[in-house]
C-alpha cells in the first residue's frame, strides 16, 4: 500500500489547489502546501502518531493535525470534501495537466464549458481559446505540451513508487521461496515503471501465489495461475509474479530483467553458437540438453560474455563492450563519500540543520554539504545575515561531528541572463556553490544555452544543479545545446549534478553518456529537503549506472582533498 505520509500529503496538496481555485487567502493556500511537503518528508509514519506527535511535524498546527486524525478515523477529511463539492469535477480533471494552474482551469470551465483533457486538446487547435484573457499563443503551446507530457506518462509511476511496492512484496514472499527478487525495468533502474515484475524460485508455487493474491495492497486479482499471477494494487499499479523451478532461476532472471532489445542480442549470440536461450535455460539445439540455467553469471559466461549489470541491459553498446572485455566497473551506492546538495528548514527543507547533519553522520560519510537557497528565489526569504549565521552554526556543529566534514554551501539561482545571486567576493566564502535554473523554463534554445554556459563559467559556481530542470511527467527539460554546456563544464571544472530526487533524476542517463565524451565529472546528490530524502541517493546511483559512470567519474566518491583540488577550493 502507499506510504501513509504520501497519501496524507497528496490530500493536503489537493486541498491547497482547490482553495486556490475558490479564491481563498494566499496565506491559507501556502499553509496547506507547506504542510503537504512537511508530511511527505517526515521520517515517522503519520498513521502511528497522536495529536501531540502530529504537532511535532514542521508546519503542522493543531487544525491540520486534527484533519489528519479525522482522515485516519473516517477515511476522508470533511473540510476537503466540502471544497470538492464546490468545484466541478471537470475543473479538477483539468488541474491534472502539467503547466495548467487551477485558476486557469476554472476559467476554461466557466467561460468555455471545457471539462475534460480531451475537450481541451481539441479546443486549442480549433481556436476556441483565442481572445480568452490570459491564454495567449505561448500559454496554449505550454498547455498542449503539458497534455502530451501527461499522456506520455500514461499509467507509469516514478521509480520510488514502484520500488516501495516491489520491496514490500519481496519481503512478504521471500520466506516462502528459495529466491525472490524484482526484475524488469525496475531492476534496470528505469525512470518510470509500467508494471512491476517479481520473480521467485520454488519447487511448489502454490503457497507463493496464494500469499501474493491475499496481500493487503491487492485491490484486484487480474489472473491467477500456477506459474504467473497478476494483481492490481490499491494505487492502480499492476504487479506480475512469476514462479520458476530453482534450477531455472538464472535464465529466468536474465530473461525477465530484459530489456527486450538486450535479450534479442543475447539470443542471437546463442543461435550462432548452436544454442537456444529462453527463460527456462540455455539448451543445445541439436540434443535439446540443458546446458546452464541456475545463475545469470553462468548463462552469460556460456555465451562468451561477462555478467552484464542490469542497468546496462538496453542494447546501448553493452554487448560489444562485454565482448571486448571493456564493461565499466559501475559506481555503487557504497562508493559515495558524501552528498553535495541538501536543504534545511532555513529555506524550503522541513528538518533543522542539526537533524540533517545527524542523518548525514549516520551514513558514515566523510563529508556533507548544506546548500540552502540563495536570495533570488524570493519566496525563501534568504538574506546575507541569515546565511552567515548558518555558516557559524555549521562550523559549531562540525566540532560535534569530528568524523564528518561539514561544507557550508548554497544553491544559487541562475537568472534569465546567467547571473547568480551574489557577487564573487561573497561567493568565495562558501565551501561549495550549486547553481540551478528555477524559473523561465521555456526560453529558446540559444538563450537558454547562453544562460547556463555563463553560470558554468562563473568562478564561484562549482556544481550545475539538476541541469535540465525537468520534473518527470510534469515539466519538460529545458531546450539547450548540451554539447556546448558540457564542453564548458569540462573546461571550467564545473561538476554536473545527477539529482537523485525520483521526479528529477537529472541529468538523465542519455545526457550523462553524452557528457562523458567531453570529460565531464559528475556528482550524485540527494537534493534532500528532509532526512528521509537521503535514501533517494540509490536512484541517483541507478541513473549514473545507466549512464555508464565509474567511481572515478563521480566526484563525491573522491577523498575530500581531491574533491577540493578539482573544485579549486582547497
Amino acid at each position: 500500500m502507499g506510504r501513509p505520509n504520501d497519501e496524507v500529503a497528496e490530500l493536503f496538496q489537493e486541498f491547497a489547489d482547490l482553495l486556490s481555485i475558490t479564491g481563498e487567502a494566499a496565506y491559507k493556500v501556502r499553509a496547506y502546501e507547506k504542510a503537504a511537503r512537511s508530511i511527505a518528508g517526515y521520517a515517522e509514519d503519520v498513521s502511528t502518531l497522536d495529536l501531540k506527535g502530529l504537532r511535532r511535524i514542521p508546519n503542522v498546527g493543531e487544525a491540520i493535525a486534527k484533519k489528519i486524525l479525522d482522515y485516519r478515523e473516517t477515511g476522508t477529511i470533511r473540510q476537503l470534501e466540502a471544497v470538492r463539492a464546490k468545484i466541478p469535477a471537470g475543473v479538477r480533471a483539468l488541474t491534472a495537466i502539467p503547466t495548467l494552474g487551477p485558476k486557469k482551469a476554472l476559467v476554461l470551465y466557466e467561460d468555455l464549458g471545457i471539462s475534460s483533457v480531451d475537450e481541451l486538446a481539441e479546443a486549442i487547435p480549433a481556436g476556441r481559446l483565442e481572445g480568452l484573457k490570459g491564454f495567449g499563443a505561448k500559454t496554449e503551446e505550454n498547455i498542449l505540451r503539458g497534455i502530451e507530457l501527461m499522456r506520455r506518462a500514461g499509467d507509469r509511476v516514478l521509480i520510488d513508487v514502484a520500488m516501495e511496492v516491489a520491496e514490500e512484496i519481496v519481503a512478504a514472499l521471500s520466506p516462502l521461496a528459495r529466491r525472490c527478487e524484482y526484475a524488469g525495468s525496475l531492476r534496470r533502474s528505469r525512470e518510470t515503471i509500467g508494471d512491476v515484475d517479481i520473480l521467485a524460485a520454488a519447487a511448489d508455487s502454490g503457497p507463493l501465489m496464494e500469499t501474493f493474491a491475499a496481500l493487503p495492497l491487492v485491490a484486484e486479482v487480474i489472473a491467477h495461475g500456477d506459474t504467473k499471477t497478476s494483481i492490481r494494487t490499491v494505487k492502480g499499479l499492476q504487479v506480475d509474479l512469476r514462479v520458476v523451478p530453482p534450477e531455472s532461476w538464472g535464465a529466468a532472471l536474465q530473461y525477465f530483467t530484459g530489456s527486450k532489445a538486450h535479450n534479442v542480442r543475447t539470443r542471437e549470440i546463442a543461435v550462432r553458437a548452436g544454442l537456444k536461450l529462453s527463460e527456462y535455460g540455455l539448451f543445445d539445439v541439436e540434443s535439446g540438453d540443458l546446458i546452464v540455467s541456475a545463475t545469470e553469471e553462468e548463462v552469460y559466461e556460456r555465451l562468451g560474455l561477462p555478467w552484464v549489470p542490469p542497468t546496462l541491459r538496453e542494447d546501448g553498446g553493452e554487448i560489444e563492450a562485454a565482448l571486448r572485455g571493456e564493461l565499466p566497473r559501475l559506481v555503487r551506492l557504497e562508493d559515495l563519500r558524501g552528498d553535495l546538495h541538501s536543504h534545511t528548514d532555513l529555506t524550503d527543507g522541513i528538518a533543522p540543520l542539526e537533524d540533517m547533519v545527524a542523518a548525514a553522520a549516520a551514513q558514515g560519510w566523510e563529508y556533507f554539504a548544506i546548500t540552502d537557497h540563495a536570495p533570488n528565489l524570493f519566496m525563501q526569504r534568504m538574506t546575507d545575515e541569515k546565511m552567515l549565521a548558518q555558516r557559524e552554526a555549521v562550523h559549531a556543529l562540525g566540532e560535534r561531528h569530528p568524523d564528518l566534514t561539514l561544507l557550508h554551501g548554497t544553491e544559487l539561482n541562475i537568472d534569465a541572463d546567467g547571473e547568480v545571486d551574489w557577487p564573487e567576493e561573497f561567493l568565495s566564502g562558501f565551501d561549495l556553490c550549486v547553481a540551478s535554473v528555477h524559473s523561465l523554463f521555456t526560453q529558446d534554445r540559444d538563450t537558454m544555452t547562453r544562460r547556463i554556459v555563463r553560470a558554468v563559467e562563473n568562478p564561484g559556481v562549482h556544481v550545475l544543479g539538476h541541469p535540465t530542470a525537468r520534473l518527470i511527467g510534469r515539466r519538460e527539460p529545458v531546450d539547450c545545446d548540451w554539447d556546448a554546456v558540457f564542453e564548458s563544464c569540462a573546461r571550467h571544472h564545473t561538476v554536473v549534478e545527477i539529482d537523485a530526487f525520483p521526479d528529477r533524476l537529472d541529468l538523465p542517463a542519455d545526457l550523462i553518456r553524452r557528457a562523458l565524451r567531453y570529460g565531464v565529472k559528475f556528482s550524485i546528490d540527494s537534493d534532500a529537503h528532509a532526512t528521509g530524502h537521503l535514501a533517494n541517493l540509490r536512484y541517483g546511483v541507478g541513473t549514473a549506472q545507466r549512464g555508464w559512470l565509474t567511481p572515478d567519474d563521480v566526484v563525491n566518491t573522491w577523498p575530500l582533498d581531491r574533491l577540493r583540488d578539482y573544485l579549486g577550493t582547497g
Side-chain angles (χ1 to χ4, degrees):
M1 288 184 288
R3 182 171 173 261
N5 294 43
D6 294 332
E7 294 177 4
V8 174
E10 286 176 13
L11 290 173
F12 283 112
Q13 183 58 57
E14 181 189 358
F15 211 160
D17 291 341
L18 298 183
L19 289 176
S20 177
I21 295 174
T22 59
E24 192 67 57
Y27 78 88
K28 187 173 287 189
V29 174
R30 284 198 299 272
Y32 283 112
E33 288 176 337
K34 289 180 179 179
R37 287 198 299 270
S38 294
I39 292 165
Y42 198 60
E44 293 186 61
D45 185 339
V46 295
S47 68
T48 66
L49 301 177
D50 58 14
L51 182 64
K52 185 177 179 181
L54 292 170
R55 289 289 307 277
R56 287 197 295 267
I57 302 174
N59 301 310
V60 173
E62 184 168 349
I64 290 178
K66 286 181 176 178
K67 288 181 176 66
I68 297 173
L69 293 176
D70 191 21
Y71 173 67
R72 277 169 35 189
E73 292 171 5
T74 68
T76 187
I77 298 174
R78 289 171 287 114
Q79 296 89 338
L80 175 57
E81 291 298 334
V83 179
R84 282 173 174 165
K86 295 179 182 178
I87 300 168
V91 177
R92 300 204 300 272
L94 293 176
T95 60
I97 301 171
T99 74
L100 182 64
K103 290 184 178 179
K104 277 189 165 58
L106 185 61
V107 170
L108 290 169
Y109 179 81
E110 291 183 338
D111 289 16
L112 300 178
I114 295 173
S115 61
S116 73
V117 175
D118 289 341
E119 285 180 18
L120 182 55
E122 294 172 2
I124 293 175
R128 290 183 59 198
L129 274 62
E130 290 179 11
L132 193 62
K133 186 177 179 181
F135 289 85
K138 190 67 175 177
T139 299
E140 291 183 356
E141 180 184 333
N142 289 338
I143 292 172
L144 287 174
R145 189 180 298 119
I147 292 172
E148 180 188 354
L149 195 62
M150 185 174 69
R151 287 175 170 171
R152 200 161 59 236
D155 295 328
R156 301 183 71 83
V157 300
L158 297 177
I159 186 172
D160 62 322
V161 176
M163 185 66 77
E164 183 178 0
V165 170
E167 290 185 334
E168 180 179 344
I169 294 172
V170 168
L173 299 184
S174 289
L176 304 173
R178 185 83 60 86
R179 298 284 300 272
C180 186
E181 290 186 27
Y182 55 82
S185 56
L186 183 58
R187 189 169 179 236
R188 302 199 313 276
S189 291
R190 299 285 301 194
E191 298 162 351
T192 61
I193 310 298
D195 302 336
V196 172
D197 296 297
I198 305 292
L199 185 67
D204 181 4
S205 67
L208 281 162
M209 296 305 189
E210 293 302 323
T211 300
F212 176 58
L215 289 173
L217 56 72
V218 176
E220 174 191 5
V221 177
I222 301 170
H224 196 303
D226 293 332
T227 59
K228 178 182 176 182
T229 293
S230 299
I231 61 95
R232 196 173 308 282
T233 72
V234 292
K235 288 291 187 178
L237 183 63
Q238 181 171 327
V239 184
D240 299 328
L241 169 65
R242 292 175 173 86
V243 180
V244 299
E247 60 271 18
S248 297
W249 171 259
L253 186 59
Q254 192 278 332
Y255 180 86
F256 289 115
T257 295
S259 66
K260 181 179 179 180
H262 176 85
N263 286 353
V264 167
R265 295 296 305 279
T266 55
R267 287 198 297 271
E268 287 173 348
I269 293 173
V271 168
R272 288 196 293 271
L275 304 171
K276 178 185 177 183
L277 178 62
S278 73
E279 63 267 41
Y280 302 107
L282 187 64
F283 299 87
D284 182 275
V285 171
E286 289 189 5
S287 66
D289 292 340
L290 174 66
I291 298 175
V292 290
S293 65
T295 69
E296 280 193 321
E297 287 80 1
E298 66 181 20
V299 170
Y300 279 107
E301 182 180 6
R302 184 61 181 80
L303 293 174
L305 300 169
W307 179 78
V308 179
T311 45
L312 297 188
R313 299 180 196 176
E314 301 288 353
D315 192 25
E318 73 279 6
I319 296 294
E320 291 78 5
L323 289 169
R324 295 193 303 268
E326 296 177 0
L327 283 177
R329 193 293 228 179
L330 298 177
V331 63
R332 298 189 294 248
L333 184 62
E334 55 267 30
D335 293 321
L336 299 187
R337 294 173 182 255
D339 187 354
L340 303 183
H341 186 173
S342 70
H343 297 273
T344 75
D345 62 358
L346 184 62
T347 55
D348 60 345
I350 71 162
L353 173 64
E354 293 82 359
D355 290 358
M356 292 299 294
V357 171
Q363 301 293 321
W365 287 333
E366 182 180 337
Y367 45 83
F368 180 62
I370 296 93
T371 55
D372 273 312
H373 288 288
N376 287 356
L377 203 61
F378 299 111
M379 70 283 292
Q380 305 304 337
R381 297 181 173 84
M382 178 56 73
T383 64
D384 296 9
E385 293 74 22
K386 286 182 179 179
M387 189 58 84
L388 292 174
Q390 186 188 60
R391 185 171 299 163
E392 293 302 316
V394 167
H395 292 162
L397 269 176
E399 297 178 3
R400 288 161 46 188
H401 295 277
D403 296 328
L404 177 67
T405 298
L406 297 181
L407 306 176
H408 186 241
T410 184
E411 184 178 12
L412 302 164
N413 308 287
I414 302 174
D415 73 12
D417 299 317
E419 291 284 354
V420 295
D421 305 66
W422 281 298
E424 189 173 340
E425 56 268 24
F426 194 88
L427 295 181
S428 66
F430 290 102
D431 296 309
L432 181 87
C433 292
V434 180
S436 310
V437 170
H438 289 115
S439 62
L440 302 170
F441 305 108
T442 58
Q443 286 181 320
D444 65 73
R445 182 182 182 86
D446 290 343
T447 303
M448 184 64 75
T449 302
R450 286 194 300 272
R451 176 184 179 185
I452 295 179
V453 166
R454 187 175 183 186
V456 161
E457 293 176 345
N458 188 318
V461 171
H462 306 110
V463 178
L464 176 61
H466 46 74
T468 77
R470 72 172 182 175
L471 292 174
I472 298 171
R474 292 188 288 142
R475 185 169 68 217
E476 291 276 28
V478 298
D479 189 11
C480 190
D481 180 351
W482 292 111
D483 293 294
V485 170
F486 297 148
E487 189 277 330
S488 183
C489 286
R491 183 156 36 92
H492 293 277
H493 281 202
T494 302
V495 174
V496 174
E497 179 177 72
I498 302 169
D499 189 305
F501 241 88
D503 65 351
R504 287 192 183 275
L505 298 179
D506 185 11
L507 203 64
D510 59 332
L511 289 179
I512 292 172
R513 294 194 69 179
R514 194 158 151 192
L516 263 178
R517 299 201 297 264
Y518 292 88
V520 164
K521 296 299 182 183
F522 303 84
S523 61
I524 303 172
D525 299 329
S526 69
D527 192 4
H529 287 63
T531 57
H533 293 163
L534 298 179
N536 288 335
L537 282 168
R538 65 191 294 194
Y539 306 120
V541 169
T543 300
Q545 290 182 347
R546 290 175 56 77
W548 292 55
L549 295 191
T550 70
D552 194 58
D553 298 316
V554 179
V555 299
N556 52 323
T557 70
W558 299 353
L560 185 56
D561 287 347
R562 182 184 175 191
L563 172 63
R564 282 177 161 155
D565 285 345
Y566 185 83
L567 299 179
T569 60

